[in-house]
Amino acid sequence: MSRLLFLPLLLFFFYQPAEAQLMNRLKKKAKAGVAGVKAQTEQAVDINSLPAEERRALYEKKGYQVVVGYLHWATGQGELAEEVTGAAKAMQHPSATYAELTSPLEDRKLLQYSELPESSDWVEAGDKLYAIVGLSGIIKNPETNKAFRYQELDKATVRKLLFEDESWILYLNRPGAEVMVIAAGAATVTKAQNLFEAESSLAKAKAVEAKINIRLEKEKAKELEELNAAAAKVQVPKKGAMDKNSDLRALSKKYLTELCEKDGTPLLYFHLESNDWTPYMNQLTSKPFYRWCKGAFVQKNKDGSCMLHGYTLKQRYVGGKYHTEIEFGGVIQGQVPYGSYISCDNIPK
């Protein structure tokens, strides 16, 4: 190829108008800028290494909340952090019904909570109510100086009441005890402390629990109504021919009375249902292992309700004949109508 022909090709590939060259430079700068942002990583801060003033300043940064109260978080070394006041960053999950508080300095989940769908029925306009589903810390009761973890709370309820301004209180409700505010969170130490100590915070928590109790009582009454309706349909199975055997009846009464007294549920009624013994055979030898019969009994529960159960008696096959001793075979499980509530009025006279 001649030099004259080669020169236009070079100009075609390498020559670009000034405007195109400017655009290319801008694209390169933009690309380098994006790469530079990606390369920058936020350095982790050890909160324990900072002076108190710097810790407080860090707590009050935008996006952080201060947690004040009877909550104590574990340190990274697994030791209890004696400083009650701590910083946490509010984290909202993609699902609007679930959220958590995370320590921004150690990237640990401190609180996990799930919104109660009925919260609008119980709280003031703009507020929300959550059930606590996870707590990586302990609650230290100031009255008894006793510390216990969230998992150790027996039949207790821990809820988070979130106010419209994003501040919140955490309260504990235990059976037979007063509602207690155990923590509060806000944008500053002062606001969180005031919220934690305010009588209005405790009053709001008690008001919410009072409304929830009304709801629970209504649900309990409805369940009881449905339970009574179902119990009214349950009948004790009919007597069988073996119920005329006085020896079997005496053994049944002995076994069932001992069983019911052990559970603290008095025996109200029993009878034998079977017309005859049923053998349980060895499939290989066709010889019986034992024979059995069944019956029904009604017990009085501690709450005053009545419950229908089934039971069995069995007689072992030993040395080519049935043993003279008759054993209690146990309570029949998982067979209708056994294990059902029964109206106490449906017990045979």
Side-chain angles (χ1 to χ4, degrees), residues 184-231:
T188 66
V189 175
T190 302
K191 186 173 182 179
Q193 191 69 46
N194 291 340
L195 190 62
F196 175 68
E197 297 173 351
E199 288 293 332
S200 59
S201 297
L202 181 59
K204 287 183 178 180
K206 288 182 176 180
V208 170
E209 287 302 305
K211 291 179 181 178
I212 293 177
N213 286 336
I214 293 174
R215 168 74 172 268
L216 293 177
E217 288 298 324
K218 289 181 179 179
E219 291 179 353
K220 186 177 179 180
K222 184 179 179 181
E223 289 176 1
L224 183 60
E225 183 180 347
E226 293 174 351
L227 187 65
N228 289 336

Side-chain angles (χ1 to χ4, degrees), residues 279-300:
Y280 184 78
M281 311 297 290
N282 185 322
Q283 295 180 357
L284 296 177
T285 65
S286 297
K287 291 182 179 181
F289 282 120
Y290 58 85
R291 62 183 183 178
W292 62 275
C293 64
K294 69 175 180 177
F297 71 97
V298 178
Q299 69 181 34
K300 187 85 167 182

Side-chain angles (χ1 to χ4, degrees), residues 258-267 299-303:
E258 290 175 354
L259 176 68
C260 291
E261 286 183 351
K262 183 179 179 181
D263 295 336
T265 55
L267 176 66
Q299 69 181 34
K300 187 85 167 182
N301 293 330
K302 294 178 181 179
D303 62 0

Side-chain angles (χ1 to χ4, degrees), residues 126-337:
D127 297 343
K128 292 182 180 180
L129 187 67
Y130 294 84
I132 302 302
V133 296
L135 169 61
S136 63
I138 69 167
I139 301 168
K140 191 171 184 180
N141 191 322
E143 298 176 0
T144 62
N145 204 32
K146 177 184 177 182
F148 47 88
R149 297 189 179 278
Y150 168 68
Q151 292 82 359
E152 297 171 354
L153 299 175
D154 183 29
K155 297 182 180 178
T157 300
V158 183
R159 302 193 207 276
K160 176 182 176 181
L161 182 56
L162 178 68
F163 303 120
E164 195 169 11
D165 64 353
E166 297 300 318
S167 62
W168 51 272
I169 60 172
L170 203 67
Y171 66 86
L172 174 66
N173 185 23
R174 291 171 293 174
E178 285 288 324
V179 175
M180 181 174 72
V181 176
I182 57 176
T188 66
V189 175
T190 302
K191 186 173 182 179
Q193 191 69 46
N194 291 340
L195 190 62
F196 175 68
E197 297 173 351
E199 288 293 332
S200 59
S201 297
L202 181 59
K204 287 183 178 180
K206 288 182 176 180
V208 170
E209 287 302 305
K211 291 179 181 178
I212 293 177
N213 286 336
I214 293 174
R215 168 74 172 268
L216 293 177
E217 288 298 324
K218 289 181 179 179
E219 291 179 353
K220 186 177 179 180
K222 184 179 179 181
E223 289 176 1
L224 183 60
E225 183 180 347
E226 293 174 351
L227 187 65
N228 289 336
K233 298 178 182 179
V234 176
Q235 300 292 330
V236 178
K238 295 180 180 180
K239 292 181 181 180
M242 296 185 76
D243 191 63
K244 297 177 181 179
N245 187 315
S246 58
D247 291 336
L248 292 180
R249 281 191 57 84
L251 279 172
S252 295
K253 184 175 182 179
K254 175 181 179 294
Y255 289 136
L256 294 173
T257 300
E258 290 175 354
L259 176 68
C260 291
E261 286 183 351
K262 183 179 179 181
D263 295 336
T265 55
L267 176 66
L268 298 182
Y269 176 85
F270 77 94
H271 68 224
L272 287 147
E273 295 178 50
S274 298
N275 292 317
D276 201 353
W277 292 101
T278 300
Y280 184 78
M281 311 297 290
N282 185 322
Q283 295 180 357
L284 296 177
T285 65
S286 297
K287 291 182 179 181
F289 282 120
Y290 58 85
R291 62 183 183 178
W292 62 275
C293 64
K294 69 175 180 177
F297 71 97
V298 178
Q299 69 181 34
K300 187 85 167 182
N301 293 330
K302 294 178 181 179
D303 62 0
S305 62
C306 294
M307 184 163 279
L308 172 67
H309 292 290
Y311 72 98
T312 62
L313 299 175
K314 68 180 183 180
Q315 194 174 27
R316 296 184 184 278
Y317 189 80
V318 181
K321 60 181 181 180
Y322 286 103
H323 199 277
T324 55
E325 182 182 358
I326 296 174
E327 305 173 18
F328 183 66
V331 176
I332 300 175
Q333 303 285 348
Q335 292 184 20
V336 177

